[in-house]
Structures are given as C-alpha cells and as structure tokens.
PDB file of all heavy atoms in Angstrom:
ATOM      1  N   ALA A 736       8.514   0.201  -0.312  1.00  0.00           N
ATOM      2  CA  ALA A 736       7.835   0.301   0.975  1.00  0.00           C
ATOM      3  C   ALA A 736       6.641   1.249   0.887  1.00  0.00           C
ATOM      4  O   ALA A 736       5.556   0.954   1.408  1.00  0.00           O
ATOM      5  CB  ALA A 736       8.809   0.764   2.051  1.00  0.00           C
ATOM      6  N   THR A 737       6.847   2.379   0.229  1.00  0.00           N
ATOM      7  CA  THR A 737       5.764   3.371   0.110  1.00  0.00           C
ATOM      8  C   THR A 737       4.592   2.814  -0.685  1.00  0.00           C
ATOM      9  O   THR A 737       3.418   2.975  -0.305  1.00  0.00           O
ATOM     10  CB  THR A 737       6.295   4.652  -0.564  1.00  0.00           C
ATOM     11  OG1 THR A 737       7.380   5.191   0.214  1.00  0.00           O
ATOM     12  CG2 THR A 737       5.204   5.693  -0.690  1.00  0.00           C
ATOM     13  N   ASN A 738       4.888   2.116  -1.780  1.00  0.00           N
ATOM     14  CA  ASN A 738       3.825   1.515  -2.593  1.00  0.00           C
ATOM     15  C   ASN A 738       3.044   0.476  -1.793  1.00  0.00           C
ATOM     16  O   ASN A 738       1.806   0.422  -1.847  1.00  0.00           O
ATOM     17  CB  ASN A 738       4.428   0.882  -3.844  1.00  0.00           C
ATOM     18  CG  ASN A 738       3.372   0.226  -4.725  1.00  0.00           C
ATOM     19  OD1 ASN A 738       2.432   0.870  -5.178  1.00  0.00           O
ATOM     20  ND2 ASN A 738       3.531  -1.068  -4.974  1.00  0.00           N
ATOM     21  N   ALA A 739       3.759  -0.362  -1.032  1.00  0.00           N
ATOM     22  CA  ALA A 739       3.097  -1.379  -0.237  1.00  0.00           C
ATOM     23  C   ALA A 739       2.175  -0.765   0.812  1.00  0.00           C
ATOM     24  O   ALA A 739       1.045  -1.219   1.009  1.00  0.00           O
ATOM     25  CB  ALA A 739       4.142  -2.272   0.437  1.00  0.00           C
ATOM     26  N   LEU A 740       2.641   0.289   1.474  1.00  0.00           N
ATOM     27  CA  LEU A 740       1.814   0.908   2.525  1.00  0.00           C
ATOM     28  C   LEU A 740       0.641   1.661   1.945  1.00  0.00           C
ATOM     29  O   LEU A 740      -0.429   1.744   2.580  1.00  0.00           O
ATOM     30  CB  LEU A 740       2.681   1.795   3.408  1.00  0.00           C
ATOM     31  CG  LEU A 740       3.189   1.129   4.701  1.00  0.00           C
ATOM     32  CD1 LEU A 740       2.018   0.782   5.620  1.00  0.00           C
ATOM     33  CD2 LEU A 740       3.966  -0.145   4.402  1.00  0.00           C
ATOM     34  N   HIS A 741       0.790   2.224   0.736  1.00  0.00           N
ATOM     35  CA  HIS A 741      -0.358   2.844   0.094  1.00  0.00           C
ATOM     36  C   HIS A 741      -1.427   1.791  -0.192  1.00  0.00           C
ATOM     37  O   HIS A 741      -2.624   2.029   0.045  1.00  0.00           O
ATOM     38  CB  HIS A 741       0.070   3.528  -1.211  1.00  0.00           C
ATOM     39  CG  HIS A 741       0.558   4.934  -1.030  1.00  0.00           C
ATOM     40  ND1 HIS A 741      -0.289   5.998  -0.781  1.00  0.00           N
ATOM     41  CD2 HIS A 741       1.812   5.444  -1.025  1.00  0.00           C
ATOM     42  CE1 HIS A 741       0.413   7.102  -0.655  1.00  0.00           C
ATOM     43  NE2 HIS A 741       1.687   6.797  -0.790  1.00  0.00           N
ATOM     44  N   GLN A 742      -1.028   0.640  -0.706  1.00  0.00           N
ATOM     45  CA  GLN A 742      -1.995  -0.420  -0.967  1.00  0.00           C
ATOM     46  C   GLN A 742      -2.621  -0.916   0.335  1.00  0.00           C
ATOM     47  O   GLN A 742      -3.828  -1.193   0.394  1.00  0.00           O
ATOM     48  CB  GLN A 742      -1.311  -1.581  -1.694  1.00  0.00           C
ATOM     49  CG  GLN A 742      -0.866  -1.259  -3.106  1.00  0.00           C
ATOM     50  CD  GLN A 742      -0.291  -2.474  -3.801  1.00  0.00           C
ATOM     51  OE1 GLN A 742      -0.986  -3.474  -4.003  1.00  0.00           O
ATOM     52  NE2 GLN A 742       0.971  -2.400  -4.198  1.00  0.00           N
ATOM     53  N   PHE A 743      -1.805  -1.041   1.369  1.00  0.00           N
ATOM     54  CA  PHE A 743      -2.334  -1.472   2.664  1.00  0.00           C
ATOM     55  C   PHE A 743      -3.384  -0.482   3.165  1.00  0.00           C
ATOM     56  O   PHE A 743      -4.465  -0.895   3.628  1.00  0.00           O
ATOM     57  CB  PHE A 743      -1.193  -1.568   3.680  1.00  0.00           C
ATOM     58  CG  PHE A 743      -1.646  -1.896   5.074  1.00  0.00           C
ATOM     59  CD1 PHE A 743      -1.961  -3.195   5.433  1.00  0.00           C
ATOM     60  CD2 PHE A 743      -1.803  -0.887   6.024  1.00  0.00           C
ATOM     61  CE1 PHE A 743      -2.392  -3.492   6.715  1.00  0.00           C
ATOM     62  CE2 PHE A 743      -2.244  -1.175   7.299  1.00  0.00           C
ATOM     63  CZ  PHE A 743      -2.540  -2.482   7.652  1.00  0.00           C
ATOM     64  N   ALA A 744      -3.088   0.803   3.084  1.00  0.00           N
ATOM     65  CA  ALA A 744      -4.017   1.819   3.572  1.00  0.00           C
ATOM     66  C   ALA A 744      -5.360   1.737   2.843  1.00  0.00           C
ATOM     67  O   ALA A 744      -6.419   1.813   3.464  1.00  0.00           O
ATOM     68  CB  ALA A 744      -3.401   3.212   3.394  1.00  0.00           C
ATOM     69  N   HIS A 745      -5.303   1.552   1.526  1.00  0.00           N
ATOM     70  CA  HIS A 745      -6.554   1.521   0.753  1.00  0.00           C
ATOM     71  C   HIS A 745      -7.320   0.210   0.952  1.00  0.00           C
ATOM     72  O   HIS A 745      -8.496   0.114   0.571  1.00  0.00           O
ATOM     73  CB  HIS A 745      -6.259   1.756  -0.720  1.00  0.00           C
ATOM     74  CG  HIS A 745      -5.933   3.183  -1.038  1.00  0.00           C
ATOM     75  ND1 HIS A 745      -6.905   4.173  -1.087  1.00  0.00           N
ATOM     76  CD2 HIS A 745      -4.754   3.809  -1.285  1.00  0.00           C
ATOM     77  CE1 HIS A 745      -6.338   5.344  -1.372  1.00  0.00           C
ATOM     78  NE2 HIS A 745      -5.033   5.148  -1.491  1.00  0.00           N
ATOM     79  N   SER A 746      -6.691  -0.787   1.556  1.00  0.00           N
ATOM     80  CA  SER A 746      -7.385  -2.044   1.817  1.00  0.00           C
ATOM     81  C   SER A 746      -8.206  -2.000   3.105  1.00  0.00           C
ATOM     82  O   SER A 746      -9.009  -2.899   3.353  1.00  0.00           O
ATOM     83  CB  SER A 746      -6.369  -3.183   1.914  1.00  0.00           C
ATOM     84  OG  SER A 746      -5.664  -3.141   3.149  1.00  0.00           O
ATOM     85  N   LEU A 747      -7.989  -0.991   3.937  1.00  0.00           N
ATOM     86  CA  LEU A 747      -8.596  -0.972   5.267  1.00  0.00           C
ATOM     87  C   LEU A 747     -10.134  -0.949   5.252  1.00  0.00           C
ATOM     88  O   LEU A 747     -10.757  -1.623   6.077  1.00  0.00           O
ATOM     89  CB  LEU A 747      -8.046   0.189   6.080  1.00  0.00           C
ATOM     90  CG  LEU A 747      -6.576   0.034   6.498  1.00  0.00           C
ATOM     91  CD1 LEU A 747      -6.068   1.312   7.181  1.00  0.00           C
ATOM     92  CD2 LEU A 747      -6.379  -1.172   7.411  1.00  0.00           C
ATOM     93  N   PRO A 748     -10.782  -0.185   4.359  1.00  0.00           N
ATOM     94  CA  PRO A 748     -12.265  -0.255   4.346  1.00  0.00           C
ATOM     95  C   PRO A 748     -12.790  -1.666   4.062  1.00  0.00           C
ATOM     96  O   PRO A 748     -13.726  -2.117   4.724  1.00  0.00           O
ATOM     97  CB  PRO A 748     -12.640   0.730   3.230  1.00  0.00           C
ATOM     98  CG  PRO A 748     -11.505   1.714   3.206  1.00  0.00           C
ATOM     99  CD  PRO A 748     -10.276   0.895   3.482  1.00  0.00           C
ATOM    100  N   GLN A 749     -12.177  -2.376   3.108  1.00  0.00           N
ATOM    101  CA  GLN A 749     -12.596  -3.761   2.837  1.00  0.00           C
ATOM    102  C   GLN A 749     -12.292  -4.659   4.017  1.00  0.00           C
ATOM    103  O   GLN A 749     -13.086  -5.535   4.392  1.00  0.00           O
ATOM    104  CB  GLN A 749     -11.874  -4.280   1.593  1.00  0.00           C
ATOM    105  CG  GLN A 749     -12.163  -5.736   1.255  1.00  0.00           C
ATOM    106  CD  GLN A 749     -13.617  -5.964   0.878  1.00  0.00           C
ATOM    107  OE1 GLN A 749     -14.131  -5.327  -0.038  1.00  0.00           O
ATOM    108  NE2 GLN A 749     -14.291  -6.867   1.580  1.00  0.00           N
ATOM    109  N   LEU A 750     -11.152  -4.412   4.654  1.00  0.00           N
ATOM    110  CA  LEU A 750     -10.774  -5.211   5.819  1.00  0.00           C
ATOM    111  C   LEU A 750     -11.811  -5.048   6.933  1.00  0.00           C
ATOM    112  O   LEU A 750     -12.207  -6.009   7.564  1.00  0.00           O
ATOM    113  CB  LEU A 750      -9.379  -4.785   6.281  1.00  0.00           C
ATOM    114  CG  LEU A 750      -8.637  -5.673   7.268  1.00  0.00           C
ATOM    115  CD1 LEU A 750      -7.129  -5.522   7.062  1.00  0.00           C
ATOM    116  CD2 LEU A 750      -8.980  -5.309   8.696  1.00  0.00           C
ATOM    117  N   ARG A 751     -12.274  -3.816   7.147  1.00  0.00           N
ATOM    118  CA  ARG A 751     -13.303  -3.579   8.167  1.00  0.00           C
ATOM    119  C   ARG A 751     -14.605  -4.312   7.813  1.00  0.00           C
ATOM    120  O   ARG A 751     -15.261  -4.884   8.690  1.00  0.00           O
ATOM    121  CB  ARG A 751     -13.546  -2.077   8.316  1.00  0.00           C
ATOM    122  CG  ARG A 751     -14.823  -1.674   9.065  1.00  0.00           C
ATOM    123  CD  ARG A 751     -14.849  -2.132  10.517  1.00  0.00           C
ATOM    124  NE  ARG A 751     -16.204  -2.155  11.022  1.00  0.00           N
ATOM    125  CZ  ARG A 751     -16.715  -1.289  11.902  1.00  0.00           C
ATOM    126  NH1 ARG A 751     -15.951  -0.319  12.377  1.00  0.00           N
ATOM    127  NH2 ARG A 751     -17.955  -1.384  12.290  1.00  0.00           N
ATOM    128  N   GLN A 752     -14.964  -4.320   6.534  1.00  0.00           N
ATOM    129  CA  GLN A 752     -16.180  -5.029   6.132  1.00  0.00           C
ATOM    130  C   GLN A 752     -16.064  -6.529   6.410  1.00  0.00           C
ATOM    131  O   GLN A 752     -17.025  -7.150   6.880  1.00  0.00           O
ATOM    132  CB  GLN A 752     -16.454  -4.785   4.649  1.00  0.00           C
ATOM    133  CG  GLN A 752     -16.912  -3.371   4.339  1.00  0.00           C
ATOM    134  CD  GLN A 752     -17.202  -3.163   2.868  1.00  0.00           C
ATOM    135  OE1 GLN A 752     -16.504  -3.691   1.993  1.00  0.00           O
ATOM    136  NE2 GLN A 752     -18.236  -2.401   2.558  1.00  0.00           N
ATOM    137  N   TRP A 753     -14.907  -7.102   6.154  1.00  0.00           N
ATOM    138  CA  TRP A 753     -14.699  -8.519   6.431  1.00  0.00           C
ATOM    139  C   TRP A 753     -14.771  -8.781   7.928  1.00  0.00           C
ATOM    140  O   TRP A 753     -15.357  -9.765   8.362  1.00  0.00           O
ATOM    141  CB  TRP A 753     -13.352  -8.971   5.876  1.00  0.00           C
ATOM    142  CG  TRP A 753     -13.374  -9.236   4.398  1.00  0.00           C
ATOM    143  CD1 TRP A 753     -13.871  -8.415   3.433  1.00  0.00           C
ATOM    144  CD2 TRP A 753     -12.911 -10.407   3.730  1.00  0.00           C
ATOM    145  NE1 TRP A 753     -13.711  -8.981   2.187  1.00  0.00           N
ATOM    146  CE2 TRP A 753     -13.137 -10.214   2.341  1.00  0.00           C
ATOM    147  CE3 TRP A 753     -12.305 -11.580   4.149  1.00  0.00           C
ATOM    148  CZ2 TRP A 753     -12.789 -11.168   1.385  1.00  0.00           C
ATOM    149  CZ3 TRP A 753     -11.942 -12.531   3.198  1.00  0.00           C
ATOM    150  CH2 TRP A 753     -12.198 -12.323   1.837  1.00  0.00           C
ATOM    151  N   LEU A 754     -14.190  -7.895   8.705  1.00  0.00           N
ATOM    152  CA  LEU A 754     -14.230  -8.074  10.155  1.00  0.00           C
ATOM    153  C   LEU A 754     -15.659  -7.975  10.681  1.00  0.00           C
ATOM    154  O   LEU A 754     -16.012  -8.659  11.647  1.00  0.00           O
ATOM    155  CB  LEU A 754     -13.340  -7.041  10.840  1.00  0.00           C
ATOM    156  CG  LEU A 754     -11.829  -7.294  10.702  1.00  0.00           C
ATOM    157  CD1 LEU A 754     -11.033  -6.093  11.179  1.00  0.00           C
ATOM    158  CD2 LEU A 754     -11.429  -8.544  11.479  1.00  0.00           C
ATOM    159  N   ASP A 755     -16.478  -7.140  10.067  1.00  0.00           N
ATOM    160  CA  ASP A 755     -17.879  -7.067  10.484  1.00  0.00           C
ATOM    161  C   ASP A 755     -18.580  -8.416  10.308  1.00  0.00           C
ATOM    162  O   ASP A 755     -19.404  -8.818  11.141  1.00  0.00           O
ATOM    163  CB  ASP A 755     -18.622  -5.995   9.673  1.00  0.00           C
ATOM    164  CG  ASP A 755     -18.288  -4.583  10.138  1.00  0.00           C
ATOM    165  OD1 ASP A 755     -17.725  -4.419  11.245  1.00  0.00           O
ATOM    166  OD2 ASP A 755     -18.568  -3.625   9.381  1.00  0.00           O
ATOM    167  N   THR A 756     -18.246  -9.145   9.239  1.00  0.00           N
ATOM    168  CA  THR A 756     -18.841 -10.464   9.055  1.00  0.00           C
ATOM    169  C   THR A 756     -18.339 -11.443  10.121  1.00  0.00           C
ATOM    170  O   THR A 756     -19.090 -12.309  10.574  1.00  0.00           O
ATOM    171  CB  THR A 756     -18.545 -11.031   7.647  1.00  0.00           C
ATOM    172  OG1 THR A 756     -17.150 -11.352   7.524  1.00  0.00           O
ATOM    173  CG2 THR A 756     -18.942 -10.041   6.570  1.00  0.00           C
ATOM    174  N   ASP A 757     -17.073 -11.301  10.520  1.00  0.00           N
ATOM    175  CA  ASP A 757     -16.547 -12.157  11.597  1.00  0.00           C
ATOM    176  C   ASP A 757     -17.238 -11.870  12.921  1.00  0.00           C
ATOM    177  O   ASP A 757     -17.575 -12.793  13.678  1.00  0.00           O
ATOM    178  CB  ASP A 757     -15.038 -11.933  11.756  1.00  0.00           C
ATOM    179  CG  ASP A 757     -14.255 -12.244  10.494  1.00  0.00           C
ATOM    180  OD1 ASP A 757     -14.678 -13.128   9.725  1.00  0.00           O
ATOM    181  OD2 ASP A 757     -13.197 -11.610  10.285  1.00  0.00           O
ATOM    182  N   VAL A 758     -17.457 -10.592  13.195  1.00  0.00           N
ATOM    183  CA  VAL A 758     -18.127 -10.195  14.435  1.00  0.00           C
ATOM    184  C   VAL A 758     -19.547 -10.731  14.462  1.00  0.00           C
ATOM    185  O   VAL A 758     -20.018 -11.286  15.475  1.00  0.00           O
ATOM    186  CB  VAL A 758     -18.116  -8.657  14.591  1.00  0.00           C
ATOM    187  CG1 VAL A 758     -19.005  -8.216  15.745  1.00  0.00           C
ATOM    188  CG2 VAL A 758     -16.684  -8.158  14.814  1.00  0.00           C
ATOM    189  N   LEU A 759     -20.268 -10.593  13.352  1.00  0.00           N
ATOM    190  CA  LEU A 759     -21.640 -11.110  13.285  1.00  0.00           C
ATOM    191  C   LEU A 759     -21.669 -12.630  13.432  1.00  0.00           C
ATOM    192  O   LEU A 759     -22.562 -13.195  14.076  1.00  0.00           O
ATOM    193  CB  LEU A 759     -22.290 -10.695  11.972  1.00  0.00           C
ATOM    194  CG  LEU A 759     -22.789  -9.251  11.898  1.00  0.00           C
ATOM    195  CD1 LEU A 759     -23.267  -8.922  10.494  1.00  0.00           C
ATOM    196  CD2 LEU A 759     -23.889  -9.003  12.920  1.00  0.00           C
ATOM    197  N   ALA A 760     -20.685 -13.310  12.833  1.00  0.00           N
ATOM    198  CA  ALA A 760     -20.628 -14.766  12.951  1.00  0.00           C
ATOM    199  C   ALA A 760     -20.442 -15.186  14.402  1.00  0.00           C
ATOM    200  O   ALA A 760     -21.057 -16.152  14.867  1.00  0.00           O
ATOM    201  CB  ALA A 760     -19.494 -15.315  12.086  1.00  0.00           C
ATOM    202  N   ALA A 761     -19.606 -14.462  15.127  1.00  0.00           N
ATOM    203  CA  ALA A 761     -19.399 -14.775  16.545  1.00  0.00           C
ATOM    204  C   ALA A 761     -20.657 -14.494  17.359  1.00  0.00           C
ATOM    205  O   ALA A 761     -21.047 -15.296  18.215  1.00  0.00           O
ATOM    206  CB  ALA A 761     -18.226 -13.955  17.085  1.00  0.00           C
ATOM    207  N   PHE A 762     -21.313 -13.372  17.095  1.00  0.00           N
ATOM    208  CA  PHE A 762     -22.523 -13.028  17.846  1.00  0.00           C
ATOM    209  C   PHE A 762     -23.637 -14.018  17.571  1.00  0.00           C
ATOM    210  O   PHE A 762     -24.318 -14.502  18.488  1.00  0.00           O
ATOM    211  CB  PHE A 762     -22.967 -11.610  17.471  1.00  0.00           C
ATOM    212  CG  PHE A 762     -24.291 -11.227  18.063  1.00  0.00           C
ATOM    213  CD1 PHE A 762     -24.451 -11.087  19.431  1.00  0.00           C
ATOM    214  CD2 PHE A 762     -25.404 -11.030  17.242  1.00  0.00           C
ATOM    215  CE1 PHE A 762     -25.679 -10.745  19.982  1.00  0.00           C
ATOM    216  CE2 PHE A 762     -26.626 -10.689  17.772  1.00  0.00           C
ATOM    217  CZ  PHE A 762     -26.763 -10.553  19.144  1.00  0.00           C
ATOM    218  N   GLN A 763     -23.825 -14.364  16.297  1.00  0.00           N
ATOM    219  CA  GLN A 763     -24.916 -15.272  15.943  1.00  0.00           C
ATOM    220  C   GLN A 763     -24.612 -16.730  16.294  1.00  0.00           C
ATOM    221  O   GLN A 763     -25.527 -17.532  16.498  1.00  0.00           O
ATOM    222  CB  GLN A 763     -25.192 -15.141  14.429  1.00  0.00           C
ATOM    223  CG  GLN A 763     -25.745 -13.788  14.047  1.00  0.00           C
ATOM    224  CD  GLN A 763     -25.758 -13.550  12.552  1.00  0.00           C
ATOM    225  OE1 GLN A 763     -25.257 -14.369  11.774  1.00  0.00           O
ATOM    226  NE2 GLN A 763     -26.316 -12.415  12.117  1.00  0.00           N
ATOM    227  N   GLY A 764     -23.315 -17.055  16.427  1.00  0.00           N
ATOM    228  CA  GLY A 764     -22.930 -18.427  16.680  1.00  0.00           C
ATOM    229  C   GLY A 764     -22.743 -18.773  18.145  1.00  0.00           C
ATOM    230  O   GLY A 764     -22.536 -19.950  18.468  1.00  0.00           O
TER     231      GLY A 764
END
C-alpha cells in the first residue's frame, strides 16, 4: 500500500499537466 501511494503521489505533477491539456481542449473546442 505504501509503495503504491508513493508512486501515486509522484504521478500528480504529470497528472496535472495532462489535465491542463483537457482544460485547453474544452476551452478551444
């Protein structure tokens, strides 16, 4: 469980970057 949550925590910056592309796609579309 601890290993999984450590990996999840470190994925959050990339996750935010992906969400930024989704937000821009919605705004532009």
Side-chain angles (χ1 to χ4, degrees):
T737 301
N738 179 58
L740 264 296
H741 274 285
Q742 292 185 62
F743 175 80
H745 285 286
S746 75
L747 291 174
Q749 176 65 56
L750 194 151
R751 165 63 200 252
Q752 289 181 322
W753 280 50
L754 287 169
D755 284 345
T756 69
D757 300 329
V758 170
L759 282 174
F762 173 66
Q763 294 168 354

